[in-house]
């Protein structure tokens, strides 16, 4: 009986360890490399929950500085809750995290319907980008399994 | 002195001509549904004849270069598959599933031309039952994949396991 209990504990711990080591978050990030401020408009799926928007800046090589991610303050974006529309401005050489997905295995597997951003508009000095429906997810370029980007440049 | 000037001018002409590259802009419908491509060109631009190829047996993700090395040549797109309005400088093309369309080709001189000014296309919209992509302005080409001097926009609307890199 004692032996069985020990075995069960080991099994539970192993399962927890296995699950923990196999999960990751994929970040979906919009980067402004245009040298001018840009305006971003996101329409989220209904009841998509709390916004988890974070911002960082780019180093001199144009790479995201991971240590500088900071939650966007309420005054840094407008959130039209009934319509699930978020608008924000992004300065040059800044990046904003607009969505995070658990265990996303890339554009080559699964279904795109889960993605919570349903339309995306980016306006700036170099022109306009408009993405709708499944193309919002598809146009994020895979940098690695945990980072997908749209670069405005 | 006269010869020196002439040599210099010839060298400059040679340098500039050597730096000119042919470029192509391709739209790939990598989905099993037809898509509609609508684009507008600027006032100085001219419409190219659109050319088509089938991509059925190619794995585009592995290498887009296969488009060029494949023996199959480009074919003129049937006139029923596109419409052009010369007054508004707009064209609409229907692209069948797994088909590649070359919508523009030309010469690019990296010495004198800015990358964003390369194309005459000022607006592009790609639509299907599963979504829409639209670009306006100089941002357009920066949103294409670049393979040498080939600019590619790939339209894919389902996440398929068969596409593994």
């Amino acid at each position: 009986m004692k032996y069985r209990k020990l075995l069960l504990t080991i099994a539970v711990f192993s399962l927890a360890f296995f699950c923990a080591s196999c999960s990751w978050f994929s970040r979906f990030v919009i980067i402004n490399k245009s040298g001018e401020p840009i305006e971003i408009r996101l329409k989220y799926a209904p009841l998509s929950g709390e916004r988890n928007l974070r911002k960082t800046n780019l180093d001199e090589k144009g790479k995201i500085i991971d240590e500088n991610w900071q939650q966007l303050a309420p005054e840094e974006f407008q959130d039209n809750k009934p319509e699930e529309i978020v608008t924000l401005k992004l300065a040059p050489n800044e990046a904003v995290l607009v969505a995070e997905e658990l265990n996303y295995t890339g554009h080559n597997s699964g279904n795109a319907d889960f993605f919570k951003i349903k339309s995306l508009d980016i306006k700036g000095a170099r022109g306009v980008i408009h993405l709708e429906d499944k193309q919002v997810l598809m146009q994020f370029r895979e940098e690695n399994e945990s980072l997908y980007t749209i670069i405005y440049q | 002195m006269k010869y020196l000037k002439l040599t210099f001018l010839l060298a400059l002409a040679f340098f500039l001509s050597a730096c000119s590259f042919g470029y192509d802009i391709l739209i790939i419908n990598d989905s099993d549904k037809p898509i509609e491509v609508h684009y507008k060109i600027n006032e100085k631009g001219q419409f190219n004849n659109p050319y088509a190829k089938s991509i059925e047996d190619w794995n585009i993700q592995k290498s887009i270069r296969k488009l060029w090395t494949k023996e199959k040549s480009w074919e003129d797109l049937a006139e029923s598959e596109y419409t052009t309005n010369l007054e508004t400088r707009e064209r609409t093309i229907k692209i069948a599933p797994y088909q590649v369309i070359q919508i523009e080709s030309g010469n690019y001189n990296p010495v004198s031309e800015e990358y964003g000014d390369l194309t005459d296309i000022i607006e592009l919209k790609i639509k299907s039952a599963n979504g829409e992509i639209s670009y306006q302005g100089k941002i357009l080409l920066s949103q294409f994949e670049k393979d040498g001097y080939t600019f590619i926009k790939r339209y894919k609307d389902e996440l398929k396991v068969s596409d593994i890199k």
Side-chain angles (χ1 to χ4, degrees):
Chain A
M1 186 68 184
K2 205 175 169 186
Y3 181 68
R4 223 173 117 183
K5 213 172 179 179
L6 184 71
L7 210 66
L8 195 70
T9 314
I10 293 170
V12 167
F13 269 104
S14 307
L15 186 70
F17 179 75
F18 178 75
C19 289
S21 60
C22 283
S23 53
W24 69 91
F25 274 104
S26 294
R27 298 168 298 166
F28 293 84
V29 175
I30 298 169
I31 299 172
N32 180 9
K33 287 189 181 176
S34 70
E36 303 280 340
I38 58 171
E39 198 178 297
I40 299 168
R41 180 183 183 272
L42 303 143
K43 184 168 172 53
Y44 286 86
L47 309 168
S48 52
E50 276 305 298
R51 312 295 176 216
N52 185 16
L53 299 162
R54 279 175 276 158
K55 202 162 81 168
T56 186
N57 29 23
L58 309 178
D59 64 17
E60 62 279 2
K61 286 181 184 164
K63 300 262 179 222
I64 287 170
I65 304 175
D66 270 324
E67 299 77 42
N68 292 2
W69 285 114
Q70 275 182 343
Q71 201 81 27
L72 247 63
E75 64 273 14
E76 288 183 286
F77 66 100
Q78 287 82 51
D79 192 354
N80 182 342
K81 268 281 183 198
E83 294 192 27
E84 302 283 354
I85 292 173
V86 168
T87 50
L88 61 104
K89 283 193 175 132
L90 198 63
N93 295 319
E94 278 188 342
V96 63
L97 187 152
V98 292
E100 240 177 348
E101 296 295 341
L102 183 65
N103 296 344
Y104 181 58
T105 50
H107 296 342
N108 295 316
S109 56
N111 189 305
D113 292 333
F114 70 91
F115 198 56
K116 58 184 167 201
I117 302 173
K118 297 301 169 195
S119 85
L120 166 65
D121 293 273
I122 311 175
K123 280 183 198 165
R126 294 191 65 78
V128 179
I129 296 176
H130 170 74
L131 305 171
E132 238 178 81
D133 206 351
K134 288 182 181 173
Q135 290 308 311
V136 183
L137 174 64
M138 291 298 187
Q139 297 307 312
F140 275 91
R141 194 190 176 95
E142 185 174 354
E143 308 289 344
N144 56 55
E145 71 174 11
S146 61
L147 180 64
Y148 294 80
T149 62
I150 288 179
I151 302 174
Y152 187 96
Q153 60 187 354
Chain B
M1 187 64 186
K2 206 173 172 183
Y3 286 117
L4 202 68
K5 238 185 206 170
L6 191 68
T7 314
F8 174 74
L9 281 176
L10 280 177
L12 184 71
F14 177 75
F15 176 73
L16 289 177
S17 66
C19 285
S20 178
F21 299 94
Y23 73 88
D24 297 278
I25 299 177
L26 309 182
I27 311 281
I28 297 174
N29 180 5
D30 191 15
S31 77
D32 57 5
K33 295 171 195 77
I35 61 169
E36 191 180 279
V37 175
H38 180 86
Y39 60 98
K40 183 174 179 168
I41 58 169
N42 60 28
E43 280 168 12
K44 72 175 174 70
Q46 282 185 329
F47 284 110
N48 290 24
N49 283 339
Y51 295 108
K53 260 187 186 188
S54 156
I55 57 163
E56 260 167 297
D57 54 344
W58 301 341
N59 185 339
I60 294 171
Q61 277 208 325
K62 271 192 180 159
S63 172
I64 201 75
R65 287 187 190 279
K66 284 186 181 173
L67 284 172
W68 308 109
T69 54
K70 209 80 180 160
E71 279 174 22
K72 207 172 170 188
S73 57
W74 290 97
E75 287 165 13
D76 283 324
L77 197 66
E79 278 183 23
S80 59
E81 289 175 281
Y82 68 96
T83 55
T84 307
N85 184 334
L86 291 174
E87 221 165 274
T88 57
R89 304 184 310 281
E90 287 172 273
R91 174 170 280 174
T92 304
I93 303 178
K94 285 187 182 122
I95 306 186
Y98 306 110
Q99 194 180 36
V100 186
I101 301 287
Q102 183 198 68
I103 57 168
E104 191 182 285
S105 65
N107 286 316
Y108 168 47
N109 187 339
V111 177
S112 60
E113 277 174 288
E114 199 205 321
Y115 176 75
D117 292 329
L118 178 62
T119 177
D120 291 324
I121 301 170
I122 50 174
E123 278 177 39
L124 172 77
K125 190 184 276 186
I126 307 175
K127 271 169 85 173
S128 88
N130 284 322
E132 185 180 309
I133 303 170
S134 141
Y135 305 119
Q136 270 174 46
K138 289 186 177 181
I139 191 78
L140 200 143
L141 272 194
S142 74
Q143 301 302 303
F144 278 56
E145 287 171 60
K146 196 168 175 279
D147 182 61
Y149 289 94
T150 303
F151 297 87
I152 301 137
K153 177 50 69 181
R154 187 162 170 234
Y155 190 97
K156 192 178 166 189
D157 57 16
E158 287 297 330
L159 308 171
K160 287 179 292 183
V161 179
S162 59
D163 287 337
I164 288 166
K165 283 179 193 175

